[in-house]
Amino acid sequence: MGKTALAIHWARRRRDRFPDGDLYVDMRGYGPGLPLTAADALGGFLRALGVPAEAIPEDVGQRAALYRSILDGRSLLVVIDNAASTAAVRPLLPASSGCFAMITSRSRLAGLVTREGATRVTLDILTPEGAVELLGQVIGPNRVEAEPEAALRMADLCGYLPLALRVVAEHAASRPALSLTGLVEELTDERHRLDALAEREDELSDVRTVFSWSYQALDSDLKQTFRLLGLHPGPEFGIGAAAALTATDERTTARRLRELTSAHLLQEPKDGRFRLHDLLRAYALECTKAEDPQHARTRAVRQLLSWYLHTTDRGRKAILPHSHEVSLVPAEKLSLPRFPDATQAMGWFEQERQNLLAAIRQAFELGQYDIAWKLPVVADGFFELGSHWTEWKKVHQLGLEAAQALGDALGEASNLFCLGDAAWRGGRHEEAIENYNRTLDIARGLGDTWLEGFTLRGLGLIREEQGDFDAANALVLNALDVFRDAGWRRGEGMALLSLSRSALAAGDIEPAITLGEQATEIFEALPDEWSTAWTALSLGPALRQLGRAAEAEVRLSQAVETFARFTDRQSEAMAWEALAEVFEEMRNRTDARRSWTRAAQLYELLRNDKATELNERAARLA
């Protein structure tokens, strides 16, 4: 019907009424894979509104409350597209009277009318006159005026639907020598052929004929590309993924994608990113099931999933070069992007995150269990650093099931370890301990010292948080022995750093400094810039307490700079806080006040209650 097109057209014309901006989300209620949840949509909105990922709550109710508090008193336009149900929409509705929400759906969403007082606008098909006018805009008014009856018949065969009319008009415009009457005859013949195959109440019934007519006009290579694109599980895709799916080079793929876009069988919402309308995707799937053998479809999907696995692993090496490495699947003939730094790798992940989630689920559902457990493992750091907590847990639960279905012990242990990390970060200590212990048993049986060492350290961190420093130190010393025997240098550094933190908490300042400096030397030699900065959070306070405030200032200032470049706001706030203590020790009231204020600003951004206390300390210095 053109619901989305109409909503966006109206929104662009009325932007001046909403001075604080606009928000848009596609709920994917009728597209491929799983619809977007309210929690996911709120997460995207909160990020767009400037809330750091670390400060976004996991609970959907808390996310909705934070979202509404931010919008309070503002004037924004919120467009919620392709909503499948009232329940998915309700948490996204702003409470501020200055905001306006526009929702598109194929459902009536009656609950929004009765409870929220929404106004329903039902879109009908175009009138015959409107449909002919649309044809004339694309084909040219002269051809339409020359054969008005043929134009009316063409509009009727399109069901007066804007999408079908645009596809047919583009097809007609590409054949200027053929009369509209001749085009109508072709379309009529195609409709009779497909009507015999269509099911009753089939949502494609009104447009299948038009799609087929346009599809049949493509050459064989373009037909194959269009069919295989229906197998992509995500909402949109780039040229590299399409090249892997269709087994062609990127230059050829880009040309074919843009030819399909010209034929209105594909959309290019932004340069290099493509999208199939959900009805066109359904039609493409019909075509590939009818024309491509099962083994060809399986091979195409396998190539696509392999591309996502290898590309994600390249990103892992850019952001966390010393993280857990697992063997991948063959990557023959795959053209993979390169990531010169962590910033570009994280940017790619945020763009492809929904596709990665869809790819993991597709791999699991199609029995590609090796990729289904490996992809969550290589993507682990992306989800953690991006603070996508709910998704982080979900992908590893799926990865664990895939590894167990395959009987792959390494896959099971790798995903259990990540689930332990996710539970620890979420404060669920008992769940974390259970996952870590299961990991430890399997890792020792496999002889995987990386998993064994980091699992022991994870258990030690939990004991440290619980205040049991003796148990924590015993576990970390065990991990240190494992790391040293196996030559895992970053693991050794992290274990030494944990011992340094424990010594500092116990008041053993000199051992804390010695251990922290040993860890720093290891991280600088690797090199590992973020871990080097992290050591300053223990070394800085220890040096200050020993009267070496100038050294503490240098280390903490460097840490502040590093965390800012990594956009790690939580760690940056902690570094500013420690730096303020150093400046107070040095009786530098101006810099101390500035540091307290900056730490408070970051904690406010993170919705951390510490902000109030630190602002008070800054005020006392003023």
Side-chain angles (χ1 to χ4, degrees):
M1 293 297 183
K3 297 181 295 297
T4 299
L6 178 61
I8 292 176
H9 175 72
W10 182 89
R12 284 173 174 162
R13 292 182 63 189
R14 294 293 179 266
R15 261 183 174 161
D16 58 328
R17 297 187 183 183
F18 306 98
D20 293 320
D22 48 85
L23 294 167
Y24 171 87
V25 64
D26 181 359
M27 300 299 290
R28 305 199 307 272
Y30 307 94
L34 296 175
L36 203 67
T37 64
D40 291 335
L42 284 167
F45 278 175
L46 290 170
R47 283 176 169 82
L49 290 165
V51 178
E54 310 95 290
I56 296 176
E58 191 169 340
D59 178 72
V60 64
Q62 293 176 348
R63 288 186 178 191
L66 177 57
Y67 163 69
R68 286 172 179 149
S69 70
I70 292 173
L71 294 193
D72 185 40
R74 296 194 187 186
S75 178
L76 275 91
L77 172 65
V78 181
V79 179
I80 305 167
D81 199 14
N82 284 321
S85 67
T86 299
V89 170
R90 191 164 275 134
L92 310 181
L93 299 178
S96 174
S97 59
C99 296
F100 186 85
M102 174 179 282
I103 303 140
T104 74
S105 178
R106 293 184 194 171
S107 304
R108 294 177 61 81
L109 302 184
L112 294 181
V113 176
T114 56
R115 285 185 54 183
E116 276 73 23
T119 299
R120 183 187 294 119
V121 178
T122 302
L123 297 190
D124 202 349
I125 56 177
L126 294 176
T127 63
E129 295 77 17
V132 170
E133 182 183 348
L134 178 56
L135 287 173
Q137 289 176 6
V138 181
I139 299 173
N142 293 337
R143 288 180 73 184
V144 169
E145 289 170 6
E147 298 181 80
E149 291 185 7
L152 273 170
R153 177 59 179 151
M154 187 179 292
D156 178 52
L157 289 168
C158 291
Y160 307 112
L161 292 166
L163 175 64
L165 287 162
R166 289 298 302 233
V167 173
V168 162
E170 190 67 35
H171 185 76
S174 69
R175 302 173 68 185
L178 187 61
S179 67
L180 294 189
T181 301
L183 290 168
V184 167
E185 290 174 357
E186 289 185 11
L187 190 56
T188 303
D189 290 344
E190 183 66 15
R191 183 166 189 169
H192 288 325
R193 185 180 71 81
L194 289 171
D195 277 348
L197 303 176
E199 297 179 6
R200 280 184 134 187
E201 303 300 325
D202 181 358
E203 68 174 354
L204 278 173
S205 60
D206 286 331
V207 291
R208 182 187 281 104
T209 305
V210 173
F211 293 165
S212 175
W213 193 47
S214 199
Y215 169 72
Q216 295 300 335
L218 303 174
D219 64 37
S220 59
D221 288 336
L222 281 177
K223 283 182 180 178
Q224 183 190 47
T225 299
F226 173 74
R227 293 195 305 269
L228 294 178
L229 289 176
L231 298 170
H232 191 287
E236 68 172 44
F237 48 85
I239 294 170
L245 183 64
T246 58
T248 50
D249 63 86
E250 290 195 11
R251 179 175 294 182
T252 301
T253 301
R255 176 179 55 78
R256 291 180 182 177
L257 293 176
R258 293 196 166 98
E259 287 182 21
L260 289 171
T261 302
S262 298
H264 284 275
L265 294 174
L266 199 59
Q267 299 168 341
E268 188 175 9
K270 52 189 173 184
D271 187 43
R273 303 293 293 179
F274 297 86
R275 179 187 299 143
L276 275 171
H277 187 283
D278 57 319
L279 290 179
L280 279 162
R281 185 185 299 272
Y283 178 69
L285 280 172
E286 279 189 358
C287 291
T288 191
K289 288 176 181 177
E291 300 180 43
D292 298 315
Q294 179 63 59
H295 70 83
R297 301 199 304 273
T298 300
R299 183 173 62 247
V301 171
R302 178 78 180 181
Q303 283 287 98
L304 174 68
L305 296 174
S306 299
W307 184 86
Y308 276 116
L309 176 64
H310 280 270
T311 304
T312 305
D313 194 57
R314 283 194 169 189
R316 175 193 66 81
K317 292 174 180 175
I319 62 167
L320 297 168
H322 305 287
S323 55
H324 194 211
E325 192 162 343
V326 296
S327 61
L328 307 180
V329 299
E332 298 175 8
K333 300 180 181 178
L334 289 179
S335 177
L336 302 171
R338 297 186 180 279
F339 303 113
D341 53 43
T343 302
Q344 290 198 26
M346 286 301 297
W348 175 86
F349 168 74
E350 290 299 340
Q351 183 180 55
E352 294 287 347
R353 181 168 55 89
Q354 293 299 331
N355 286 334
L356 289 174
L357 291 168
I360 291 168
R361 179 162 293 280
Q362 184 182 47
F364 182 81
E365 290 175 349
L366 296 181
Q368 304 282 340
Y369 293 131
D370 54 345
I371 294 178
W373 80 252
K374 291 179 180 184
L375 188 49
V377 172
V378 300
D380 177 74
F382 284 116
F383 285 102
E384 182 178 8
L385 292 180
S387 301
H388 298 286
W389 310 124
T390 303
E391 294 170 355
W392 188 23
K393 182 178 179 180
K394 284 180 180 177
V395 297
H396 288 300
Q397 286 173 331
L398 214 56
L400 176 61
E401 287 185 47
Q404 289 172 336
L406 201 61
D408 192 306
L410 176 60
E412 185 176 354
S414 299
N415 281 281
L416 278 169
F417 171 73
C418 297
L419 284 169
D421 280 353
W424 168 63
R425 285 293 295 262
R428 303 183 301 276
H429 286 169
E430 294 307 314
E431 180 185 333
I433 290 170
E434 180 184 351
N435 287 324
Y436 281 148
N437 283 332
R438 289 170 65 191
T439 303
L440 198 57
D441 289 341
I442 300 173
R444 284 172 170 164
L446 293 171
D448 190 314
T449 51
W450 191 99
L451 278 175
E452 181 184 0
F454 275 100
T455 301
L456 286 166
R457 178 178 172 271
L459 289 166
L461 291 174
I462 293 174
R463 295 305 181 200
E464 179 187 328
E465 289 183 1
Q466 293 173 336
D468 189 348
F469 292 104
D470 289 339
N473 285 342
L475 286 161
V476 174
L477 285 168
N478 194 349
L480 182 61
D481 289 339
V482 172
F483 288 136
R484 281 176 169 166
D485 289 344
W488 296 114
R489 292 288 282 164
R490 182 173 183 271
E492 181 182 355
M494 295 303 286
L496 289 169
L497 185 57
S498 293
L499 293 171
S500 172
R501 288 163 54 88
S502 182
L504 180 62
D508 298 328
I509 308 303
E510 290 190 2
I513 292 175
T514 301
L515 290 162
E517 287 176 339
Q518 290 174 358
T520 302
E521 289 174 7
I522 291 173
F523 295 141
E524 287 177 343
L526 281 173
D528 187 332
E529 192 176 7
W530 184 91
S531 297
T532 301
W534 185 250
T535 62
L537 297 180
S538 295
L539 265 177
L543 289 166
R544 173 180 60 80
Q545 291 180 44
L546 204 62
R548 295 160 61 181
E551 292 178 56
E553 179 193 351
V554 171
R555 289 184 183 274
L556 286 166
S557 296
Q558 291 172 344
V560 162
E561 181 186 341
T562 300
F563 291 138
R565 281 192 290 102
F566 274 73
T567 63
D568 184 347
R569 293 180 179 88
Q570 178 74 34
S571 299
E572 185 186 352
M574 294 165 64
W576 277 114
E577 188 179 357
L579 193 55
E581 296 277 8
V582 171
F583 285 133
E584 281 206 349
E585 184 81 16
M586 299 169 72
R587 302 186 183 279
N588 182 346
R589 295 168 63 88
T590 301
D591 285 336
R593 185 173 68 250
R594 179 177 61 87
S595 300
W596 286 127
T597 301
R598 183 56 184 147
Q601 289 171 343
L602 287 166
Y603 280 129
E604 283 175 356
L605 201 61
L606 295 166
R607 303 297 194 274
N608 190 313
D609 293 338
K610 260 191 167 186
T612 302
E613 174 196 341
L614 302 191
N615 274 323
E616 289 174 356
R617 295 193 69 166
R620 283 199 296 271
L621 285 175

